[in-house]
Amino acid sequence: MKKIVMLVAMVAFLAVAAVAFSNPAAPSGDISMKCKKGVVTFSHKIHMEKAGISDCKTCHHKYKGEGEPQRCDTCHKEKKDKAPKIMTAAHKQCKGCHKKSKNKAAPTKCKECHKK
Ligand code: HEC
Ligand code: HEC
Ligand code: HEC
Ligand code: HEC
């Protein structure tokens, strides 16, 4: 019995490790998401290190693990395959997680994200 539990735990651990290591490295610099309301600066470094997100797919939801994930713009600005507008997508994903997070460093007010 104990052996089976151990084995299950090992397999689960390896599965998690495999996901972590199959991710390519995230861009190290900040990305400016330009919009009429004011530029939003997005940092992969802060999100991967301080927010503790390990899987690219948490945000790059269409990423299948081949090559590099695409910018959200690619589909959400072109409205490809009925992708909702970038504002809807960004607000839902970014603000959604920030609101749920207990981490007070995650901004939820307009001006904390949209800077001139
Ligand atoms: C917390 C959300 C989030 C996570 C996690 C995340 N990304 Fe991103 N990524 C973004 C956003 C937002 C952009 C900018 C998209 C845009 O402007 O359309 C982006 C852009 C990119 C770009 C395009 C950069 C450019 O300038 O063209 C690459 C490549 C990328 N991410 C790779 C990764 C990889 C690899 C991982 C996992 C190790 C990862 N991302 C994890 C949100 C995230
Ligand atoms: C390859 C195209 C593609 C890329 C790249 C992409 N999306 Fe999407 N996204 C879609 C499509 C299409 C939908 C519509 C629902 C579905 O098919 O999943 C969607 C739906 C969403 C939704 C759900 C919206 C709702 O109203 O429920 C969110 C949130 C979202 N995307 C955020 C993002 C973010 C943030 C990024 C970049 C980190 C991104 N997407 C990159 C195509 C894409
Ligand atoms: C899965 C959860 C999650 C998602 C999705 C997410 N964030 Fe965050 N974000 C966090 C957390 C947690 C922090 C606080 C990190 C810290 O401790 O500094 C944070 C911090 C930030 C900060 C403040 C730190 C800085 O970079 O100046 C900005 C701005 C930010 N996020 C923008 C965004 C944007 C824009 C998106 C969507 C494109 C996004 N975030 C998506 C969890 C998330
Ligand atoms: C967590 C960060 C965050 C917060 C908080 C936030 N936004 Fe945004 N917003 C974004 C991102 C990211 C985009 C998409 C930028 C892009 O076009 O690449 C966006 C897009 C927009 C757009 C679309 C502009 C255009 O060019 O189409 C408007 C308008 C907007 N936001 C208004 C607001 C208002 C009003 C609030 C406060 C009630 C707010 N946002 C709060 C991150 C945020």
Side-chain angles (χ1 to χ4, degrees):
M1 188 56 199
K2 252 191 178 160
K3 266 188 185 157
I4 293 171
V5 172
M6 281 277 286
L7 202 69
V8 169
M10 284 245 313
V11 169
F13 173 79
L14 287 175
V16 169
V19 167
F21 290 115
S22 66
N23 277 328
S28 56
D30 288 352
I31 296 178
S32 296
M33 299 178 78
K34 293 190 185 73
C35 83
K36 291 174 207 138
K37 181 79 189 162
V39 175
V40 179
T41 305
F42 177 82
S43 161
H44 278 94
K45 201 167 190 291
I46 287 175
H47 285 88
M48 308 305 283
E49 289 173 9
K50 290 204 187 155
I53 305 168
S54 58
D55 193 356
C56 315
K57 292 193 199 83
T58 305
C59 303
H60 295 280
H61 66 108
K62 295 281 186 190
Y63 180 53
K64 296 202 180 69
E66 290 153 22
E68 296 226 299
Q70 289 177 291
R71 292 183 73 110
C72 323
D73 288 357
T74 321
C75 304
H76 290 280
K77 278 209 169 132
E78 308 306 329
K79 306 198 185 78
K80 216 187 249 174
D81 302 327
K82 303 202 176 100
K85 284 196 293 186
I86 183 80
M87 180 178 90
T88 311
H91 284 175
K92 200 160 206 173
Q93 190 179 92
C94 317
K95 274 207 259 179
C97 176
H98 290 181
K99 278 190 179 150
K100 266 190 267 159
S101 172
K102 291 190 179 69
N103 187 332
K104 292 216 171 70
T108 54
K109 298 201 181 80
C110 317
K111 284 186 179 161
E112 291 173 318
C113 281
H114 293 281
K115 304 216 162 122
K116 287 274 149 73

